[in-house]
């Protein structure tokens, strides 16, 4: 390997780690930021308390994790076929769109609550694309001797984001409920631009294989039914 090529490889691993860590931090912050800010959000969209409000609250909290969990297997398989970085970039873009829609939520009352749920599900799809491919991208970019350190940094960012999200949610909700969703947009836009500009696919593609559509649908349906049943019970 030439010295010039080696320098590019060393530079790229940090680019990959930065983007994956940004995605992990962004996703974990988003997962916890509304826990403490839901009262302010419902007040902002003029949603009255009641059984209807509880259903929307439940889906705002549960929907993000549900969609992410059910899509991971399918997205992982698609990444093997079409490239991890390609789907990772797409995840950042979808997450940016979902965050922007949440910030701009036009409706109030039940309509506004339903819009929040739908837009948050869009966010969850984007998060699933980044989570499913993040660790694999780090593994591809780093040599064996440094993978543990890189994966550890990524995990620290993910765990830290859960606490940061709670703090940000409590602070931002006191000013304006829309700020809870606005905070994600700069990170999502930065990640989208940076990943399309600097990241490249260096993983092996299993292009001759196919996606087990029936198996994936059964997995998604079964896991969704299980999680919904446990939650409502």
């Amino acid at each position: 390997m030439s010295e010039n090529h080696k320098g590019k490889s060393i530079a790229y691993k940090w680019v990959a780690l930065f983007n994956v860590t940004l995605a992990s931090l962004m996703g974990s912050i988003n997962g916890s930021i509304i826990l403490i800010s839901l009262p302010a959000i419902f007040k902002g969209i003029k949603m009255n308390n009641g059984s209807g409000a509880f259903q929307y609250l439940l889906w705002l909290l549960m929907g993000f994790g549900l969609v992410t969990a059910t899509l991971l297997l399918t997205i992982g398989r698609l990444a093997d076929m079409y490239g991890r970085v390609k789907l990772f970039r797409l995840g950042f873009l979808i997450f940016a769109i979902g965050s922007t829609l949440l910030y701009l939520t036009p409706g109030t009352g039940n309509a506004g609550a339903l819009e929040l749920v739908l837009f948050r599900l869009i966010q969850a799809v984007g998060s699933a694309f980044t989570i499913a491919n993040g660790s694999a991208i780090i593994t591809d970019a780093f040599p064996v001797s440094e993978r543990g350190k890189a994966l550890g940094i990524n995990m620290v960012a993910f765990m830290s984001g859960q606490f940061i999200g709670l703090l940000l949610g409590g602070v931002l909700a006191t000013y304006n409920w829309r700020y809870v969703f606005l905070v994600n947009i700069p990170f999502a836009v930065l990640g989208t631009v940076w990943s399309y500009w600097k990241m490249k696919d260096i993983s092996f593609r299993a292009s001759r294989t196919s996606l087990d559509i029936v198996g994936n649908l059964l997995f998604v349906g079964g896991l969704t039914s299980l999680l919904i049943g446990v939650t409502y019970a």
Side-chain angles (χ1 to χ4, degrees):
M1 180 182 294
S2 66
E3 184 177 350
N4 186 39
H5 181 72
K6 184 177 180 181
K8 290 183 179 179
S9 299
I10 292 174
Y12 175 73
K13 69 181 181 182
W14 298 115
V15 171
L17 179 61
F18 172 80
N19 255 31
V20 173
T21 301
L22 180 63
S24 298
L25 182 64
M26 180 183 68
S28 59
I29 288 176
N30 185 72
S32 62
I33 197 169
I34 70 167
L35 286 173
I36 200 170
S37 56
L38 271 174
I41 294 173
F42 277 12
K43 183 179 179 181
I45 64 173
K46 300 178 176 59
M47 182 70 187
N48 297 323
N49 294 327
S51 59
F54 175 76
Q55 299 295 323
Y56 291 121
L57 181 150
L58 191 63
W59 279 102
L60 276 172
L61 294 175
M62 184 188 71
F64 188 88
L66 176 63
V67 170
T68 302
T70 53
L71 289 181
L72 287 179
L73 181 64
T74 303
I75 293 174
R77 187 59 179 151
L78 290 173
D80 292 336
M81 297 167 59
Y82 300 108
R84 292 164 185 163
V85 170
K86 182 182 294 186
L87 297 187
F88 183 84
R89 292 168 178 164
L90 180 60
F92 256 125
L93 179 59
I94 294 173
F95 194 94
I97 293 172
S99 299
T100 304
L101 291 173
L102 282 165
Y103 173 70
L104 298 175
T105 301
T108 58
N110 289 334
L114 182 59
E115 289 169 359
L116 286 175
V117 172
L118 292 176
F119 297 156
R120 189 157 166 81
L121 294 182
I122 293 175
Q123 262 192 337
V125 173
S127 183
F129 273 93
T130 57
I131 292 174
N133 295 287
S135 296
I137 289 174
I138 291 177
T139 301
D140 290 336
F142 278 82
V144 176
S145 60
E146 296 181 294
R147 284 176 188 167
K149 177 180 67 176
L151 291 171
I153 292 173
N154 182 54
M155 183 55 65
V156 168
F158 181 83
M159 298 300 295
S160 300
Q162 295 180 340
F163 296 101
I164 295 172
L166 292 175
L167 294 175
L168 283 177
V171 172
L172 295 176
T174 61
Y175 294 98
N176 191 311
W177 68 270
R178 294 184 187 273
Y179 293 168
V180 173
F181 304 113
L182 177 65
V183 71
N184 290 316
I185 297 177
F187 294 104
V189 172
L190 172 62
T192 302
V193 173
W194 193 255
S195 60
Y196 274 95
W197 181 30
K198 288 290 187 179
M199 293 187 71
K200 55 188 177 182
D201 221 324
I202 58 177
S203 61
F204 172 77
R205 298 186 189 181
S207 57
R208 294 184 179 181
T209 59
S210 60
L211 180 67
D212 182 7
I213 297 177
V214 175
N216 279 273
L217 289 176
L218 289 174
F219 173 77
V220 171
L223 184 57
T224 301
S225 300
L226 176 62
L227 293 177
I228 292 177
V230 170
T231 301
Y232 276 91

